[in-house]
Amino acid sequence: RFEDQVELLNFHFADNKHLTRDIVPASEAVGAEDLTSYPSGTNLNASLSLHAANEAASRLGMPALSTVRVDHCPEAYGVVLGHEDDSGKVQAHVSYSGDTVFCPEFADASSGARLMVHEATFDDELKDEADKKRHSTVRQALAAGKRASVDRLLLTHFSQRYPKLPGQTESNRSEASRIHRGKHAPETLVAFDLMRVRVDSAYPPTIETAHLVNALFGASTAGMDSDTE
């Protein structure tokens, strides 16, 4: 039988809309023992979803998780991990935008985070295409990090049209300088495949990566400051 040939996983489904904390306060999340009575594959209700999400977040050293609706497609959400304040709101330590255009609600929910991971699919010259496809430009990602006053901003989800690391052109450097001028400026880093980031609250959430990129790719990064592809 097919069932005898596969590993059966014990998992449950949590709807992102149940994790926004608009439906059920964190104080009403059920206890761990309540999950054991639900068979694998169950769609969890709001209270169970919030409990399960907080349990998962606690394994990263951050006992609270919430989602934020973002502007990409229906039911698109960003994620905020951190600690709960007295009102039950999550104080951000790490946040992840997912796919989205610039979203003030996500930036505000990420306020004060040590690390924001934000998509930057397109260069600024392709803003019209970014708007059409509901993705962010590098400039919009930088603006989100500044609005949230995060310590570090990690850019990711770059269009495959770019054969080099994004964010390195003179125009983007000038834009970053202009956006960051006069206010808390996050350290801006670029993600790459197989990059690993430690996110628990006892350690800095990421590391400077420029020297690692140079070590990995060496001379292949030469000329990456050129605006030509």
Side-chain angles (χ1 to χ4, degrees), residues 118-130:
H118 201 290
E119 74 127 290
T121 305
F122 293 104
D123 203 349
D124 301 323
E125 287 78 5
L126 295 175
K127 182 180 182 303
D128 290 344
E129 185 167 355

Side-chain angles (χ1 to χ4, degrees), residues 90-137:
V90 175
Q91 295 297 310
H93 180 76
V94 175
S95 64
Y96 171 60
S97 71
D99 290 357
T100 184
V101 297
F102 173 76
C103 180
E105 293 79 10
F106 171 75
D108 292 344
S110 304
S111 179
R114 297 182 68 188
L115 172 67
M116 174 190 282
V117 183
H118 201 290
E119 74 127 290
T121 305
F122 293 104
D123 203 349
D124 301 323
E125 287 78 5
L126 295 175
K127 182 180 182 303
D128 290 344
E129 185 167 355
D131 290 342
K132 179 180 179 181
K133 296 184 176 180
R134 313 311 294 163
H135 284 295
S136 293
T137 65

